[in-house]
């Protein structure tokens, strides 16, 4: 990515970013629908069409601005964003705790699946270099961006901090009384996350899992 200027990097990242965030939300709605809660489907949110999921601020402005600012400041290019949350009504589940956990984990799982898809695309792009290099090179850059974005979003959302998906999974696994106490921390979750980012704790916390999933992706791409 160092070979690209800032504008080129933003162009490379925007499509993988939009799909990483929106497919993540679609996965929540799809699993909830299969488990008996049809709220998301009735509102047109079980779709891979990004438009119903896009939050102008969270899906486009914040991620691109944050990436640009941290790249220009030498921070390495930080990616963070969100889509419109998919509406879920857990009262429609037959097993509240189990189905809530499954619905939550579907989001990060979709990111890891997309990471592998981008790895396959990266491998395919390398086979195109001799024939249609003008397509292969930008496609390869986009695939690398897709791997990075989905690795970050997948791992980040597995952190056991409400309202992240990992927090919802943990709340579903804890004994009921402890789960209720833990749920009271949700209003503070965003502040906790920002605190971890500002203090520099977040990336060391995520790094082992990030390295693991990226190593898997690049092995699939034939680069390791």
């Amino acid at each position: 990515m160092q070979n690209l200027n800032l504008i080129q990097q933003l162009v490379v990242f925007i499509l993988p970013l939009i799909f990483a965030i929106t497919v993540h939300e679609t996965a929540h709605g799809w699993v909830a629908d299969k488990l008996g809660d049809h709220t998301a489907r009735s509102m047109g949110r079980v779709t891979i069409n990004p438009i119903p999921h896009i939050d102008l601020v969270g899906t486009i402005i914040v991620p691109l601005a944050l990436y640009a600012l941290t790249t220009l400041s030498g921070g390495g290019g930080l990616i963070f964003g969100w889509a419109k949350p998919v509406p879920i009504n857990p009262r429609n589940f037959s097993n509240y705790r189990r189905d809530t956990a499954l619905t939550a984990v579907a989001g990060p799982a979709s990111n890891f699946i997309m990471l592998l898809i981008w790895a396959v695309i990266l491998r395919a792009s390398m086979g195109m270099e001799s024939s249609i290099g003008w397509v292969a090179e930008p496609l390869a850059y986009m695939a690398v961006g897709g791997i990075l974005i989905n690795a970050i979003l997948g791992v980040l959302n597995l952190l056991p901090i409400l309202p992240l998906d990992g927090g919802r999974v943990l709340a579903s696994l804890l004994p009921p009384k402890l789960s209720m106490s833990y749920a009271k921390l949700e209003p503070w979750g965003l502040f906790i996350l920002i605190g971890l980012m500002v203090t520099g704790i977040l990336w060391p916390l995520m790094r082992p899992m990030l390295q693991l999933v990226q190593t898997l992706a690049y092995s699939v791409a034939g680069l390791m």
Side-chain angles (χ1 to χ4, degrees), residues 52-72:
H53 303 289
I54 288 176
D55 179 288
L56 179 61
V57 174
T59 313
I60 299 176
I61 296 175
V62 168
L64 297 183
L66 188 59
Y67 182 82
L69 289 172
T70 53
T71 299
L72 291 173

Side-chain angles (χ1 to χ4, degrees), residues 42-145:
S42 68
M43 298 179 69
R45 298 294 302 279
V46 184
T47 174
I48 59 172
N49 177 5
I51 294 175
H53 303 289
I54 288 176
D55 179 288
L56 179 61
V57 174
T59 313
I60 299 176
I61 296 175
V62 168
L64 297 183
L66 188 59
Y67 182 82
L69 289 172
T70 53
T71 299
L72 291 173
S73 65
L78 179 62
I79 302 171
F80 180 74
W82 62 90
K84 294 177 183 176
V86 165
I88 303 294
N89 186 352
R91 288 178 294 180
N92 293 323
F93 293 145
S94 60
N95 185 319
Y96 177 92
R97 291 164 64 82
R98 180 201 66 193
D99 295 349
T100 297
L102 290 173
T103 300
V105 81
S110 74
N111 289 121
F112 296 135
I113 291 170
M114 282 188 285
L115 174 143
L116 294 176
I117 292 171
W118 283 114
V120 171
I121 292 172
L122 177 59
R123 185 167 192 148
S125 71
M126 291 186 294
M128 300 176 187
E129 289 179 351
S130 58
S131 54
I132 45 174
W134 61 275
V135 172
E137 186 174 3
L139 189 61
Y141 278 123
M142 189 173 291
V144 170

Side-chain angles (χ1 to χ4, degrees), residues 1 3-18 64 67 79 118 137-149:
M1 290 292 178
N3 297 330
L4 304 181
N5 61 41
L6 179 58
I7 299 300
Q8 290 172 324
Q9 289 183 41
L10 293 177
V11 170
V12 162
F13 275 119
I14 188 147
L15 189 61
L17 176 65
I18 288 174
L64 297 183
Y67 182 82
I79 302 171
W118 283 114
E137 186 174 3
L139 189 61
Y141 278 123
M142 189 173 291
V144 170
I147 290 169
L148 175 62
I149 289 168

Side-chain angles (χ1 to χ4, degrees), residues 158-183:
L158 283 178
L159 294 177
I161 303 170
L162 288 169
L164 297 179
D165 299 321
R168 301 213 181 278
V169 173
L170 179 58
S172 298
L173 296 176
L174 291 173
K177 287 186 178 179
L178 188 55
S179 178
M180 290 177 65
S181 299
Y182 177 65

